[in-house]
Amino acid sequence: MKNKDKLLNSILPVLTVIAIIVLWSVFASTIDNAFILPSVSSVMESFGALLTSREFYIALFSTFLRSLIAFIISFVFGFVLAVLSVKSSAVKSVLSPIIKIMRALPTIAVVLLLLLWTTSNIAPVVVTMLVVLPTVYTQVISAFNSLEKTVSEAARVDGANEKAVFLKVELPQAMPTVYSAIGSGISLNFKLMVAAEVLSQTAKSIGYMLNTSKVYFETAQMFALVIASVIIGVIIESVFEVISKKSSSFK
């Protein structure tokens, strides 16, 4: 039964992708307008051209580097603030309205304001941090709040101090969830970065290439860039899901 479920779980995603491609082909053939919806073959041709384009790899590296910088800063601050909030209700009360405000900030308006104060290279990094930090904060708090409290209490009874309890008991238990949050966070970070780059018209970036494709009505290339971004996001999330599962097995 388990083998049957595993086989089914492996086949269904493939069938879903095939169904999407079939529907795409049908709609593209029906509309018959490459500017509105290009054919699958033309998009795959553009995707292949991207893979041989030096401009694409420069843009991809620049976008990913900015995304990584933004995520590392967001994760460090989000993680530290979340741990402080778990340990102190006063800290959580102070941070609660700030996190809510950060969640409610309209991304487009923030990008436009940041462009007045900073450059097109810095604005996407800052706006991405403002969106990702509260997400990381919430996920880390959730990870620690879901821990089995009896294990921590047993360690305290055995004479372990708070530092030892956190480092040797609570942190290892929380890490599988944290790893999963890192994967989804980097993926979200990358998508937000691309969107912010489009608005900021950041040079040598995936966002800039998307913007250029829109201006010149290169719809097939836009689709190819979107597919490339999706593939990168899926790879990142999948890698960290594997890490999360492996860390769970070592607990």
Side-chain angles (χ1 to χ4, degrees):
M1 189 68 179
K2 287 184 178 179
N3 290 333
K4 185 179 179 181
D5 289 340
K6 284 183 179 180
L7 182 63
L8 193 63
N9 289 335
S10 299
I11 292 174
L12 286 177
V14 176
L15 292 176
T16 301
V17 172
I18 292 172
I20 290 170
I21 293 172
V22 170
L23 286 172
W24 177 0
S25 298
V26 170
F27 281 121
S29 177
T30 303
I31 295 170
D32 195 23
N33 188 328
F35 292 118
I36 296 174
L37 185 62
S39 65
V40 175
S41 59
S42 63
V43 171
M44 290 301 104
E45 186 179 334
S46 294
F47 185 76
L50 282 181
L51 297 180
T52 59
S53 167
R54 183 170 176 269
E55 180 191 2
F56 170 69
Y57 289 107
I58 292 172
L60 177 61
F61 176 78
S62 299
T63 297
F64 193 77
L65 181 61
R66 273 189 289 269
S67 180
L68 194 59
I69 291 169
F71 179 77
I72 289 171
I73 296 171
S74 300
F75 180 79
V76 170
F77 277 96
F79 186 88
V80 171
L81 293 175
V83 170
L84 291 174
S85 295
V86 169
K87 298 298 181 181
S88 170
S89 58
V91 173
K92 188 175 182 180
S93 296
V94 170
L95 291 176
S96 179
I98 298 173
I99 296 298
K100 286 179 180 178
I101 289 170
M102 291 176 71
R103 284 183 179 281
L105 286 172
T107 305
I108 295 176
V110 173
V111 171
L112 295 175
L113 283 171
L114 286 169
L115 286 172
L116 294 175
W117 303 331
T118 62
T119 66
S120 61
N121 285 314
I122 296 174
V125 175
V126 177
V127 76
T128 304
M129 286 167 51
L130 290 173
V131 175
V132 174
L133 192 151
T135 303
V136 171
Y137 173 85
T138 303
Q139 288 176 323
V140 173
I141 283 183
S142 177
F144 279 99
N145 285 340
S146 63
L147 298 181
E148 183 58 56
K149 304 299 181 184
T150 55
V151 180
S152 301
E153 292 302 322
R156 291 187 183 96
V157 170
D158 289 339
N161 58 32
E162 286 302 317
K163 181 180 178 182
V165 170
F166 175 74
L167 294 176
K168 296 182 179 180
V169 179
E170 295 177 340
L171 187 59
Q173 286 187 81
M175 284 314 294
T177 306
V178 172
Y179 283 134
S180 181
I182 290 173
S184 59
I186 295 177
S187 178
L188 171 65
N189 204 70
F190 185 79
K191 289 179 280 189
L192 286 168
M193 183 61 67
V194 172
E197 286 172 346
V198 171
L199 292 170
S200 303
Q201 298 188 31
T202 308
K204 296 180 180 179
S205 69
I206 297 296
Y208 185 80
M209 290 186 72
L210 278 167
N211 215 21
T212 303
S213 300
K214 182 198 72 173
V215 170
Y216 291 102
F217 297 101
E218 295 174 345
T219 314
Q221 181 166 296
M222 288 180 68
F223 270 76
L225 287 165
V226 169
I227 290 171
S229 299
V230 169
I231 290 172
I232 292 167
V234 169
I235 290 172
I236 292 168
E237 288 195 33
S238 300
V239 167
F240 278 94
E241 277 179 15
V242 171
I243 294 172
S244 176
K245 288 178 182 177
K246 285 190 175 182
S247 65
S248 296
S249 64
F250 289 126
K251 286 200 307 180

